[in-house]
Amino acid sequence: MPNNQFKKGELYSFITGKASTAIARRLQKKFNTAQLNLTIEQWSVLYHLWKQDGISQQELCNATFRDKPSITRLVDNLEKLKLVKRVSSKEDRRMNMIYLTAEARKMQEVSMELAEETLNEALTGVPEDQVEICKGVLQIVYDNLK
Amino acid sequence: MPNNQFKKGELYSFITGKASTAIARRLQKKFNTAQLNLTIEQWSVLYHLWKQDGISQQELCNATFRDKPSITRLVDNLEKLKLVKRVSSKEDRRMNMIYLTAEARKMQEVSMELAEETLNEALTGVPEDQVEICKGVLQIVYDNLK
DNA sequence: TTTGGATAGTTGTTTAACTAACTATATGCC
DNA sequence: GGCATATAGTTAGTTAAACAACTATCCAAA
């Protein structure tokens, strides 16, 4: 028997992701205010490179949950901004390994602080145990559908 | 004192809305399979018109959490698909009232069933009380940031 | 009654997502 | 070795979001 928790009136915001849209908009505004010339999507790519530099575009696809054309263009734009460099792999010449520039490395600290700040604003007034439950539910949703 | 529940490694999926992206993609695939020629964004506009027909573009902005140019273009495309009609208001000639066509009215039942089906798939294995908590947290997040 | 501000909607530009079709390289099998 | 297939990445076309600048209409106060 499927769960039928969703009355029609409540289904909308779950599908449209109003909460995560609001979070992303708030973070984008903070980037703009801080003169950080970076879109949230570009930041999400840098985020994974900060964790591990020199990974392939395919690995960025998996990490960011985006398809190959999206990553191609994000890397194009990040390259134009001189924040990453494509280096074609010597072991497998089909692959581009993506490396951060010094410029991009400098952006990590500020942007991560703004991201944490945004989440703290978003979660003001939410008890910690409920945040944990919410994270768990969203993880299951993702696993169910991926 | 701000909540500091977010370790850096966990912050990413909250901001990028992986769960809601996955839900929207799954629903879009169901639309395509069902030969329902409709994007999720277009569906989200129809959703509110099914609840109340003949509202203004500004009201659609508020309901769908989108800005005016986005709604202008969504209505443009829905008009091309002959799913809605713009009728300029007689009381206030600045306003367009948006009306569903018979064609669009026919799409409500099928598309809503697919949406509910998608959410049931997404929430498989999640206890009902946790879904409620999650919905509550996302609502607070939205209210905190809007 | 005119003028100035507010509101409703449109247009242009940039960035991104999705699909499909494409090129280049690698790999495994005959 | 040569061919089929899979994998990595790119390109093209459509839809959408965000922002800024714009037009048209309404309304209220001088």
Side-chain angles (χ1 to χ4, degrees), chain B residues 3-35:
Chain B
N3 334 17
N4 251 329
Q5 303 95 336
F6 274 84
K7 299 188 193 67
K8 284 180 184 167
E10 298 169 332
L11 143 177
Y12 179 79
S13 45
F14 234 90
I15 291 175
T16 55
K18 273 166 65 170
S20 57
T21 305
I23 292 173
R25 281 183 196 166
R26 173 68 61 96
L27 181 56
Q28 182 69 66
K29 277 193 184 132
K30 284 181 191 286
F31 281 3
N32 297 344
T33 303
Q35 313 267 28

Coordinates of all heavy atoms in Angstrom, one line a residue, chain B residues 3-35:
Chain B
N3 N 21.7 28.1 14.9 CA 21.8 26.6 14.9 C 23.0 26.3 14.0 O 23.3 26.9 13.0 CB 20.7 25.9 14.1 CG 19.4 26.7 14.2 OD1 19.3 27.8 14.5 ND2 18.3 26.0 13.9
N4 N 23.8 25.4 14.5 CA 24.9 25.0 13.7 C 24.9 23.5 13.3 O 25.9 22.8 13.4 CB 26.2 25.3 14.5 CG 26.9 26.5 13.9 OD1 26.8 26.7 12.7 ND2 27.6 27.3 14.7
Q5 N 23.7 23.1 12.9 CA 23.6 21.7 12.6 C 24.3 21.2 11.4 O 24.6 20.0 11.2 CB 22.1 21.3 12.4 CG 21.2 21.6 13.5 CD 20.5 23.0 13.3 OE1 21.1 23.8 12.6 NE2 19.4 23.2 13.8
F6 N 24.7 22.2 10.6 CA 25.3 21.8 9.3 C 26.8 21.7 9.3 O 27.5 22.7 9.2 CB 24.8 22.7 8.2 CG 23.5 22.3 7.7 CD1 22.3 22.7 8.4 CD2 23.4 21.4 6.6 CE1 21.1 22.2 7.9 CE2 22.2 21.0 6.2 CZ 21.0 21.4 6.8
K7 N 27.2 20.5 9.3 CA 28.6 20.3 9.0 C 28.8 20.6 7.5 O 27.9 20.4 6.7 CB 29.1 18.9 9.3 CG 28.9 18.5 10.8 CD 29.5 17.2 11.1 CE 29.0 16.7 12.4 NZ 27.6 16.4 12.5
K8 N 30.0 20.9 7.1 CA 30.2 21.4 5.7 C 29.7 20.3 4.7 O 29.2 20.6 3.7 CB 31.6 21.8 5.5 CG 31.9 23.1 6.1 CD 33.3 23.6 5.9 CE 33.5 24.9 6.6 NZ 34.9 25.3 6.8
G9 N 30.0 19.1 5.0 CA 29.7 18.0 4.0 C 28.3 17.8 3.8 O 27.9 17.2 2.8
E10 N 27.4 18.3 4.7 CA 26.0 18.0 4.5 C 25.2 19.2 3.9 O 24.1 19.1 3.6 CB 25.4 17.7 5.9 CG 26.1 16.5 6.5 CD 25.7 16.4 8.0 OE1 25.5 17.4 8.7 OE2 25.7 15.2 8.5
L11 N 25.9 20.3 3.8 CA 25.2 21.5 3.4 C 24.8 21.5 1.9 O 23.8 22.1 1.6 CB 26.1 22.7 3.8 CG 26.4 24.0 3.3 CD1 27.4 24.7 4.2 CD2 27.1 23.9 1.9
Y12 N 25.6 20.8 1.2 CA 25.4 20.9 -0.3 C 24.0 20.5 -0.8 O 23.4 21.2 -1.5 CB 26.4 19.9 -1.0 CG 26.3 19.9 -2.4 CD1 26.8 21.0 -3.2 CD2 25.7 18.9 -3.1 CE1 26.7 21.0 -4.6 CE2 25.5 18.9 -4.5 CZ 26.0 20.0 -5.2 OH 25.9 20.0 -6.5
S13 N 23.5 19.3 -0.3 CA 22.2 18.9 -1.0 C 21.1 19.7 -0.5 O 20.1 19.9 -1.2 CB 22.0 17.4 -0.7 OG 22.3 17.1 0.6
F14 N 21.2 20.3 0.7 CA 20.1 21.2 1.1 C 20.0 22.4 0.2 O 18.9 22.8 -0.2 CB 20.4 21.7 2.6 CG 19.2 21.4 3.5 CD1 19.2 20.2 4.2 CD2 18.2 22.3 3.7 CE1 18.1 20.0 5.0 CE2 17.2 22.1 4.5 CZ 17.1 20.9 5.2
I15 N 21.2 23.0 -0.1 CA 21.1 24.2 -1.0 C 20.7 23.9 -2.4 O 20.0 24.6 -3.0 CB 22.5 24.8 -1.0 CG1 22.8 25.4 0.4 CG2 22.7 25.9 -2.0 CD1 24.2 26.0 0.6
T16 N 21.2 22.8 -2.9 CA 21.0 22.5 -4.3 C 19.6 21.8 -4.5 O 19.1 21.7 -5.7 CB 22.0 21.6 -4.9 OG1 22.1 20.4 -4.1 CG2 23.4 22.3 -4.9
G17 N 19.0 21.4 -3.5 CA 17.6 20.8 -3.6 C 17.6 19.6 -4.4 O 16.8 19.4 -5.3
K18 N 18.6 18.7 -4.1 CA 18.6 17.4 -4.9 C 17.3 16.6 -4.9 O 16.9 16.1 -5.9 CB 19.7 16.5 -4.3 CG 21.1 16.8 -4.9 CD 22.2 16.2 -4.2 CE 22.2 14.7 -4.2 NZ 23.5 14.1 -3.6
A19 N 16.7 16.6 -3.7 CA 15.4 15.8 -3.6 C 14.3 16.4 -4.5 O 13.7 15.7 -5.3 CB 15.0 15.8 -2.2
S20 N 14.1 17.7 -4.5 CA 13.1 18.3 -5.3 C 13.4 18.2 -6.8 O 12.5 18.0 -7.6 CB 12.7 19.7 -4.9 OG 13.8 20.5 -4.9
T21 N 14.7 18.3 -7.1 CA 15.1 18.2 -8.5 C 14.8 16.8 -9.0 O 14.2 16.6 -10.1 CB 16.6 18.4 -8.6 OG1 16.9 19.7 -8.1 CG2 17.0 18.3 -10.1
A22 N 15.0 15.8 -8.1 CA 14.8 14.4 -8.5 C 13.3 14.2 -8.7 O 12.8 13.5 -9.6 CB 15.3 13.4 -7.5
I23 N 12.5 14.8 -7.8 CA 11.0 14.6 -8.0 C 10.5 15.2 -9.3 O 9.8 14.6 -10.0 CB 10.3 15.3 -6.8 CG1 10.6 14.5 -5.5 CG2 8.8 15.4 -7.0 CD1 10.0 15.2 -4.2
A24 N 11.0 16.4 -9.6 CA 10.6 17.1 -10.8 C 11.0 16.3 -12.0 O 10.2 16.2 -13.0 CB 11.1 18.5 -10.8
R25 N 12.2 15.8 -12.0 CA 12.6 15.0 -13.2 C 11.8 13.8 -13.4 O 11.4 13.4 -14.5 CB 14.1 14.6 -13.0 CG 15.0 15.7 -13.3 CD 16.5 15.2 -13.2 NE 17.4 16.3 -13.1 CZ 18.6 16.2 -12.7 NH1 19.2 15.0 -12.4 NH2 19.4 17.3 -12.7
R26 N 11.5 13.1 -12.3 CA 10.7 11.9 -12.4 C 9.3 12.2 -12.9 O 8.7 11.6 -13.8 CB 10.5 11.2 -11.0 CG 9.6 10.1 -10.9 CD 10.0 8.8 -11.7 NE 11.3 8.3 -11.2 CZ 11.4 7.3 -10.4 NH1 10.4 6.7 -9.9 NH2 12.6 6.8 -10.0
L27 N 8.7 13.3 -12.4 CA 7.4 13.7 -12.9 C 7.4 14.1 -14.4 O 6.5 13.7 -15.2 CB 6.8 14.9 -12.0 CG 5.4 15.4 -12.4 CD1 4.4 14.3 -12.4 CD2 5.0 16.5 -11.5
Q28 N 8.5 14.8 -14.8 CA 8.6 15.2 -16.2 C 8.6 14.0 -17.1 O 8.0 13.9 -18.1 CB 9.8 16.1 -16.4 CG 10.0 16.5 -17.8 CD 9.0 17.6 -18.2 OE1 9.0 18.7 -17.6 NE2 8.1 17.2 -19.1
K29 N 9.4 12.9 -16.6 CA 9.4 11.7 -17.4 C 8.1 11.1 -17.5 O 7.7 10.5 -18.6 CB 10.4 10.7 -16.8 CG 11.8 11.1 -17.2 CD 12.9 10.0 -16.9 CE 14.3 10.5 -17.3 NZ 15.2 10.3 -16.2
K30 N 7.3 11.1 -16.4 CA 6.0 10.5 -16.5 C 5.1 11.3 -17.5 O 4.3 10.7 -18.2 CB 5.3 10.5 -15.1 CG 5.8 9.4 -14.2 CD 5.1 9.5 -12.8 CE 5.8 8.6 -11.8 NZ 5.6 7.1 -12.1
F31 N 5.2 12.6 -17.4 CA 4.4 13.4 -18.4 C 4.8 13.0 -19.8 O 3.9 12.8 -20.7 CB 4.7 14.9 -18.2 CG 4.0 15.6 -17.1 CD1 3.2 14.9 -16.3 CD2 4.2 16.9 -16.9 CE1 2.5 15.5 -15.2 CE2 3.5 17.6 -15.8 CZ 2.7 16.8 -15.0
N32 N 6.1 12.9 -20.1 CA 6.5 12.5 -21.5 C 6.0 11.2 -21.9 O 5.5 11.0 -23.0 CB 8.1 12.6 -21.5 CG 8.6 13.9 -21.3 OD1 7.9 14.9 -21.3 ND2 9.9 14.0 -21.0
T33 N 6.1 10.2 -21.0 CA 5.7 8.9 -21.3 C 4.2 8.9 -21.6 O 3.7 8.1 -22.4 CB 6.0 7.9 -20.1 OG1 7.4 8.0 -19.8 CG2 5.6 6.5 -20.4
A34 N 3.4 9.7 -20.8 CA 2.0 9.7 -21.0 C 1.6 10.6 -22.2 O 0.4 11.0 -22.3 CB 1.3 10.2 -19.7
Q35 N 2.5 11.1 -22.9 CA 2.3 11.9 -24.1 C 1.7 13.3 -23.7 O 0.9 13.9 -24.4 CB 1.3 11.3 -25.1 CG 1.7 9.9 -25.4 CD 2.6 9.8 -26.7 OE1 3.4 10.7 -27.0 NE2 2.5 8.7 -27.4

